[in-house]
Structures are given as structure tokens and as C-alpha cells.
Amino acid sequence: MNNGKWNQLLTQWREKFRRFMVGRYGSDELNQCLVWVFIAILFVRIFIHSGIWYWLEMAVIVVIYYRMFSKNTSQRFKENQRYLNLRFRVTEWAKGVRSGKWKEDLEEVKKYKIFKCPNCGQKIRIPRGHGKVSVHCRKCGHDFIGRT
Ligand SMILES: [Zn+2]
């Protein structure tokens, strides 16, 4: 076969694929992440020869293709949104760990006790170590007894 024929064939296949993908979901951030998971498992499998990893890899590839060719685009979109939310929370959490904010949080937990107003649910911060105290809710004016 000469080059022209190959190009023609390639164009034909590309067109077929394009038509096949009409109305289908395609790729998104979640699928990109799954591809990385797939590559990670591939690496693990170099060192660990276990059937579980093989099946895990197969499962990941099935999910990738299933999502890519799915016609239920709204459901796939929702999944991607959930993934993006989770990713956002994880990166925010990682930022907090790196900045040492968790140490401040821990100090605060040690110094203060958080009460929840039984009447309106408002959170109230009271310094620890004062025994039984009367807690006043500033939001609804309710008073209750709390142990600090
Ligand atoms: Zn209240």
C-alpha cells in the first residue's frame, strides 16, 4: 500500500471514531486521574506479581472506557464534579498540613472546648479547666450547663 491509501484509511477510521463518539461523554479530569492510577498500578505490577493488582488494573481500564463511551453524560458530569470537590478538599487539606495550621487547630482544641447550643445548634467556644460552667448562647439567649 502506498502513503495515499494509508492516509485515506486513517481518515476513514478517524471519521468512524468521531461518529462513534457523538453523544458520548469522552474524557474529563476524573478519567485523566484514573489514567494516572492505571499507570501507577502498572508500576506496582513490575514489583509485585499478584493477581489482585492485575484485576485492579483491569477494573480501572474498564471504568475508564465505560465512562468515556457512556451516553449518560449528566451522570458522568456529576461523578466528575464529586471528584473535583474531593480533589479540592484534599489539596486544601494538604496546604493546611504544610503551613502548620493543624498545630494551631490542635492548640485550640487543647485550650478550648466547643459546645453546641442545645436550643439552636450554635457552636460556642469556652476555655477549658473551669469545671462546670453556665454557658450562654449569644445567638438565641439560651443558657445551659457545660463541663469544661
Ligand atoms: Zn442557641
Side-chain angles (χ1 to χ4, degrees):
M1 256 194 276
N2 57 39
N3 267 341
K5 261 240 156 73
W6 271 117
N7 278 340
Q8 209 185 333
L9 208 66
L10 212 65
T11 316
Q12 252 174 29
W13 273 104
R14 227 179 262 149
E15 179 56 23
K16 260 188 195 158
F17 185 70
R18 197 190 60 77
R19 246 179 285 158
F20 174 73
M21 285 305 287
V22 167
R24 290 175 201 268
Y25 188 66
S27 191
D28 60 9
E29 287 89 348
L30 175 54
N31 259 10
Q32 278 159 24
C33 172
L34 287 172
V35 170
W36 282 110
V37 170
F38 177 79
I39 293 167
I41 297 172
L42 212 67
F43 267 104
V44 169
R45 292 218 299 127
I46 296 172
F47 304 105
I48 304 170
H49 299 278
S50 158
I52 297 158
W53 290 97
Y54 172 77
W55 289 113
L56 205 63
E57 195 175 303
M58 286 302 120
V60 170
I61 203 84
V62 164
V63 171
I64 290 171
Y65 277 111
Y66 174 77
R67 295 192 72 254
M68 213 157 114
F69 299 142
S70 171
K71 288 187 169 176
N72 190 353
T73 50
S74 63
Q75 188 57 37
R76 300 291 87 78
F77 183 78
K78 261 190 236 161
E79 287 163 6
N80 194 46
Q81 284 302 313
R82 268 203 293 260
Y83 161 70
L84 289 177
N85 275 331
L86 185 74
R87 194 173 73 173
F88 178 76
R89 260 180 288 166
V90 168
T91 50
E92 286 302 297
W93 172 80
K95 263 189 230 163
V97 168
R98 254 178 306 172
S99 70
K101 172 111 182 38
W102 62 276
K103 279 183 200 156
E104 287 170 36
D105 289 346
L106 195 70
E107 283 302 304
E108 185 150 315
V109 166
K110 272 194 238 163
K111 270 193 219 152
Y112 299 97
K113 189 162 181 184
I114 307 294
F115 289 100
K116 211 171 167 186
C117 171
N119 193 41
C120 71
Q122 170 74 28
K123 282 190 181 135
I124 304 149
R125 206 175 65 163
I126 303 290
R128 283 183 187 273
H130 294 284
K132 264 188 185 175
V133 293
S134 171
V135 183
H136 178 74
C137 174
R138 257 179 283 168
K139 200 177 168 195
C140 71
H142 185 73
D143 288 299
F144 60 98
I145 301 294
R147 182 175 280 281
T148 57

